[in-house]
Amino acid sequence: MLSTPDPVTPEPYNHTQYCQWPCKCPKTPPTCPPGVSLIMDGCDCCRACAKQVGEVCNEKENCDHHRGLYCDYSADKPRYEKGVCAYLPGTGCEHKGVIFRNGQSFQPNCKYQCVCVNGAIGCVSLCNESQPPRVWCQNPRRVKIPGRCCEQWICDESRRGRKTAPRHTMAALSSVKDDWHKNCVTQTTSWSPCSKTCGRGVSLRITNSNKQCKMVKESRLCNIRPCKVDITKHIKPGKKCLNVYREEKPHNFTISGCTSTNTYWPKYCGVCIDERCCIPYKSKTVEVDFQCPNGSGFSWQVMWINACFCNLSCKNPNDIFTDLEQYHDKGEVGN
C-alpha cells in the first residue's frame, strides 16, 4: 500500500513588530531635508520624515504620499514586511502617440530631457549650457555644427565690431577655467518653462549643486495665470495688453488638501487681445511650507513671478519644446 506524502507546510517565520506601544516620541520633531515631507508615521504615533523613491519602507516608515509615492511590498513575498517606495500609477502622459507612465523620464530627442508628472510633461533643455559672448562680441550668432546636436554660439566677425576681448573679460574667462581644476564644478540648468499655460504646472531643472556633486533633477510648482479668471476684463480702455495680473487680496496656496502656513499675493502673467503673448520675464524660486489637517507638513519649491513681457513670439501651445529656446535677457532673481 502506497503512503501519501505529507502536505508541504510553509516555513514558519516571526512577524517583525515595527510599532511599539505606548508611543515614545522625541520632544521635537525631526528636521527634514528640503522638499521632504514631515508626516505622521505608520504607527500613528510620531512625526517622521517621509521616505523617498527607492528607499526602504515598512508599516512604520511611510513613503511620501504628497509626492505620489507608495510602499511596494511585491519583492518581499510572502512576508510582505519590507518594501520600496515607488510612484503611484497616477495619470500618464501622451506625447506624439506614445504613452508614458507617471514619474517616467524620457528623452524625446537629443536636445531635451522630460519627465511625466501626473499628466503634465516637464522638460529641461540639454543644450542651454552655452551662453552668447555678448560681453565682448557685438554680433553673436548661433550655428549648427555637423555631427553635433546642439547649436554653438560664434562671434560673427564679418560685421563691424570689436574682434578682440577686453582684458577684464579674458581675466574672467581665465578664472572660470581655473574652477575646472577643482574637485567639483557646479552646473545648474535654467528652469524649464511651466508645463501648463494656466493653472498649476511643473517646472524642472538639473543641478549638481550638492555635497555628492551628483546631477539630480529638481522640480518646482508654477502657475503662469489662473484658468478660471477672464483677465481681458482687467485690460484698461485703449490698451491691448495687461502684462501682469494680480488678484484683489492675498490668499493661501493649497495642494493635496494641505494649506500653506503663510498667505501670499502672487503676480501672474496677463494676456493680450491682439496676437501677442505674455510670458514670465523675471522670476525666482521660493520655498512654501504646507500644513495638513492630520498635523503633518511638507514644503514645495514654487516659482514666484516678478515681471512679465508681451511680444509676438507666440509658440504653438501643442509643441512643448518651442518655449525652451532661451531668452538670454530674462533670468532668475536669486535662485
Side-chain angles (χ1 to χ4, degrees):
M1 183 176 178
L2 296 176
S3 59
T4 58
D6 296 333
V8 178
T9 57
E11 183 179 346
Y13 61 87
N14 295 324
H15 178 76
T16 304
Q17 189 73 28
Y18 291 101
C19 295
Q20 302 291 334
W21 290 278
C23 300
K24 294 181 179 180
C25 303
K27 294 182 178 180
T28 57
T31 301
C32 302
V36 176
S37 303
L38 180 66
I39 62 175
M40 192 67 69
D41 64 20
C43 307
D44 203 22
C45 281
C46 312
R47 294 185 182 183
C49 297
K51 296 295 181 179
Q52 302 301 302
V53 62
E55 294 183 342
V56 176
C57 51
N58 50 53
E59 65 177 354
K60 179 181 180 181
E61 298 174 307
N62 289 340
C63 301
D64 198 338
H65 61 275
H66 296 295
R67 298 196 177 275
L69 300 178
Y70 77 106
C71 193
D72 182 6
Y73 293 98
S74 59
D76 193 27
K77 186 178 180 180
R79 303 168 71 94
Y80 299 112
E81 290 184 354
K82 292 183 178 180
V84 177
C85 292
Y87 283 104
L88 286 165
T91 303
C93 305
E94 186 271 338
H95 173 63
K96 291 187 176 181
V98 180
I99 303 299
F100 299 95
R101 67 180 183 275
N102 180 41
Q104 182 178 359
S105 297
F106 62 97
Q107 190 171 335
N109 53 51
C110 62
K111 291 185 177 182
Y112 305 107
Q113 179 72 37
C114 304
V115 63
C116 173
V117 183
N118 199 24
I121 297 177
C123 300
V124 292
S125 174
L126 302 177
C127 296
N128 58 5
E129 72 283 353
S130 177
Q131 299 290 332
R134 285 190 173 182
V135 176
W136 55 271
C137 179
Q138 296 182 3
N139 301 304
R141 185 163 60 92
R142 195 162 58 174
V143 297
K144 177 70 177 177
I145 300 178
R148 293 188 181 182
C149 174
C150 304
E151 292 86 358
Q152 182 173 336
W153 288 99
I154 65 169
C155 186
D156 191 351
E157 297 183 353
S158 62
R159 305 177 185 180
R160 287 188 176 182
R162 182 188 293 269
K163 295 185 179 181
T164 58
R167 292 180 180 178
H168 70 275
T169 304
M170 295 304 296
L173 294 175
S174 177
S175 64
V176 172
K177 184 177 179 181
D178 293 339
D179 288 341
W180 283 88
H181 296 287
K182 296 180 180 180
N183 292 331
C184 178
V185 178
T186 301
Q187 302 176 72
T188 303
T189 67
S190 301
W191 286 102
S192 69
C194 192
S195 60
K196 293 186 178 181
T197 56
C198 74
R200 183 187 298 146
V202 64
S203 179
L204 305 172
R205 74 176 178 183
I206 297 174
T207 181
N208 68 341
S209 181
N210 50 63
K211 293 181 179 179
Q212 294 77 25
C213 193
K214 180 180 179 182
M215 282 293 185
V216 295
K217 182 169 53 186
E218 293 183 344
S219 62
R220 68 176 180 181
L221 300 177
C222 50
N223 192 340
I224 303 300
R225 62 183 59 85
C227 295
K228 298 181 180 180
V229 177
D230 185 4
I231 301 179
T232 58
K233 294 181 179 180
H234 299 273
I235 298 177
K236 295 181 179 180
K239 301 291 184 179
K240 293 185 177 181
C241 291
L242 178 67
N243 286 29
V244 174
Y245 167 76
R246 216 171 193 180
E247 295 177 333
E248 294 182 355
K249 56 184 179 179
H251 63 275
N252 293 86
F253 293 137
T254 59
I255 182 173
S256 302
C258 305
T259 306
S260 62
T261 55
N262 297 319
T263 57
Y264 296 89
W265 198 16
K267 294 179 180 178
Y268 301 101
C269 287
V271 295
C272 297
I273 56 177
D274 55 15
E275 296 179 353
R276 287 176 289 177
C277 302
C278 302
I279 60 175
Y281 173 64
K282 291 291 184 181
S283 67
K284 63 180 180 179
T285 304
V286 298
E287 194 86 12
V288 177
D289 296 322
F290 291 86
Q291 192 74 29
C292 303
N294 62 357
S296 63
F298 60 95
S299 61
W300 259 104
Q301 292 191 98
V302 176
M303 176 186 184
W304 187 268
I305 296 175
N306 288 311
C308 303
F309 75 95
C310 306
N311 63 6
L312 290 172
S313 180
C314 298
K315 310 297 183 180
N316 180 0
N318 295 320
D319 187 349
I320 64 175
F321 305 120
T322 52
D323 282 336
L324 290 179
E325 290 294 328
Q326 278 196 310
Y327 292 92
H328 292 283
D329 291 332
K330 73 173 183 176
E332 286 276 311
V333 179
N335 58 341

